[in-house]
Amino acid sequence: MERSNPEGEPNSTVINASEGNDELNDDGVVNQEGSLVDEITDVMMTRNDELDLRHELPDHSGLGEEEIPAIGMRFDSLHLAHEFYASYAKKLGFVTKVRNTNFDKMRKDTKIPINQSLHCTREGYRESRVKAATRSNRITATRCKARMYVMLDRENECWVVSRVELRHSHPCSADKAVHYHEYPELTMHAKCVITDNDEAGIRPNKTYLALANEVGGSSNLSFSEKDVRNYITSNLRCSDDNADFNEMMNYFLRMKEINPNFFYAIDVDDANKFRSALWVDARCRASYEYYGDVVSFDTTYRRNRHGLPFASFVGVNHHGKSTLLGCALLGNEEIPSFEWVFTQWVRCIGTAPKGIITDQCKAMAGAIRKVLPDTVHRWCIWHIMKKTQFKLSGYARYGELSAMMNHIVYNSPSSESFEVDWAAFIKEFALGQNRWLADLYANRRKWVPIFFKSEFWAGMRSTQRSESMHAFYGGYLHCKSGLVQFVHEYDNVLGNKEQKELEDDAADSKGVIPCIGSTGIERQFQQEYTSNMFRNLQLEVRKKTDCVVRSTEQKGDTISIKVDEQKVFWGKPVYHTFIIQFDPLSRKSRCECNKFESVGILCCHILAIWSYYRVDTVSSCYVLPRWSKNVIRKHTYIKSSHDVARSNESHNLFRNLCSEFYNVAQEFVACEEEAAILRAVLLDAKSKLTDHRTLKVKTKGRPKGKRLGAELDKSIKKSMEKRKRKSQPDVVDLQTDNDCQGSVDNRFEDSTIWNSADGGGFMDLLNSFRHL
């Protein structure tokens, strides 16, 4: 920077852009951000300090205003002029507003602006008409006269700074300005963190604290917690119901585009309004081939603002853990809604399941009878037993009653023993008039385990697997959640379940669970079954020691064997006798407990007689592929769909670049010398990218368009001459002595252009100002 007087003006300050790292193109445009920005800012701040403006008291009646002349500065658009003045205002510590706009009187219909004044928001003076005791809004006006005038240059079709006043009548603080609500500035990093945390169910206040900790405290952030919440509301939520439905449809279409096997169905009423929806991911569809024999279906309480019940189809994978097979939002919990969901789900997966577990909903049962006639329907036993405390707690001997009922339901060795024990239970506690128990007994074949022991249920007795899935949703959703959040949380559930299954598969590939004993049967299952299912088998191996072979009886080619198993109930040993049919030639066995047929795991009774007859290996029919870790399953090659389009492309690119940089940075942070080299490389890369952006900057002004006409030219010239004559001593027009009688075009011949391609911000700040 140097002091010079190129136009013969006394005491003028000229900013030489050739100093430092910045260069000017042919049109005088600053091509590169560098030391010039800070240099110009320092000049501006110094000038304000000289005028004692930033610390001036509100009472400035005795101070004369001082005009700051400046070089005419050109902007491609009026919007860029606003950005320029706002950038300066933020740097100094005040807020701007548009005070006045004049339009072309010759073209009133088009409303073409020809000049505009930008003022400090604290200009003018206002007195509140509201009493001080009830007044809530602040009075901020202090007669501040800081402003900038811009006018339209007809010839070059750009906007030119005509006058500037820098004096403020109030203190300005750049440190405080970052906390003004007019200057919320969410960086791209902050937006990505907010989006990711919101998708993961992290509350906004925790997200704000995390961002504050990154920069050393909330005072170093340029936004508040309220800005975080506003960003979530405006960008990640759909407040309008129609927009919510449309966004859900867009999600389905994006998922269909990612993988054509993604399935969705929408049900609408006669007025074309949303009623129900069903969607199944491509990975879920493929996994149904292996885990779709038995499913749990359950609806949860309404966790969305539309009041739609949420339902899920859940199966059991080869690790014995829950896996998602489909989701639905129901218009209501009536038979037609359930019929539509079951029909669309079967249409998606191709074949109906062998068994389904639900609660005691009558509408659900009616829909299953119609749509899934060949599927065995079972009630959730957990729901039924949970109701005993509400239905029977009024009885005097409730403790004994509850314990005896649980024992009969869960431990009856046969259907005949259940019938006998239930009748004795009703008689002993005088429950013959209880209608709830009477209804349960009438439907006993839908919920008592002994009546299902000949059918495979993969160990499922209740809908708790579905409810655990709903609990996962419940951690992130609430009564005000929209449909878009539902489908995005569906992404989270899929990703979570997929990751758990991959981790379990990886653990099984690394090693095996050690055997309890040295039998060949245990070692055989050790090599075949997944770790979780092998542990279940080992429980039966341990219980084998409680079994004793009491008698054997030859019946043709098979041997009928009685085995006594000892159990402890209420601190007393109880013996149950089980009959096993054993074929010594084929070594096939069948126990009347039917554990293998219902759960898929050999019972301790069969293991006891095999040990009795010294059977070291078992037939392949007892090693179910469903629990095998050696089976290659198709769905493991399909990645669950994830809605990457939730964030815009720039955010996704930003995440990828940050991820790549983190991977590089973590390799060299241990050594200060290597870290310094990496930092130098980054600065060099930034410089090269800035040069690359410079090449995109136009070297000429805006192309000339249609002229506004001679009348407008005359009007502008007349207005400028009038302002010059009527100007106050503290406001001086920007034109120089050399062009005092020239045209508007000549007056701004040497001005600079602030182009959006230059990077915006504070690039050319005060390159247009010349200080007295």
Side-chain angles (χ1 to χ4, degrees), residues 30-101:
V30 180
N31 291 332
Q32 181 175 332
E33 292 187 16
S35 60
L36 180 59
V37 175
D38 297 331
E39 192 174 347
I40 293 172
T41 306
D42 292 340
V43 171
M44 181 65 178
M45 298 303 179
T46 302
R47 183 58 179 165
N48 281 337
D49 289 338
E50 291 174 358
L51 297 175
D52 194 25
L53 300 179
R54 288 194 294 168
H55 305 287
E56 188 176 9
L57 296 176
D59 184 11
H60 58 286
S61 58
L63 296 176
E65 292 184 352
E66 182 176 350
E67 179 184 337
I68 308 298
I71 300 174
M73 188 174 184
R74 292 185 293 158
F75 301 92
D76 283 346
S77 66
L78 185 59
H79 173 70
L80 292 179
H82 292 175
E83 287 188 357
F84 165 79
Y85 196 53
S87 298
Y88 161 69
K90 186 176 181 181
K91 195 76 174 179
L92 187 62
F94 68 99
V95 182
T96 65
K97 69 176 181 179
V98 177
R99 182 66 177 84
N100 186 43
T101 303

Side-chain angles (χ1 to χ4, degrees), residues 10 26 66 235 276 292 312 420 446 449 452 460 537 539 591 649-650 661 664 670 672 674 683 695 732:
D26 295 338
E66 182 176 350
N235 294 274
S276 300
S312 62
V420 174
K446 284 191 173 183
F452 295 95
M460 283 202 297
L537 179 72
L539 292 177
C591 180
E649 294 183 1
S650 61
F661 172 74
V664 174
E672 293 185 2
E674 293 176 347
L683 294 176
L695 298 177
V732 181

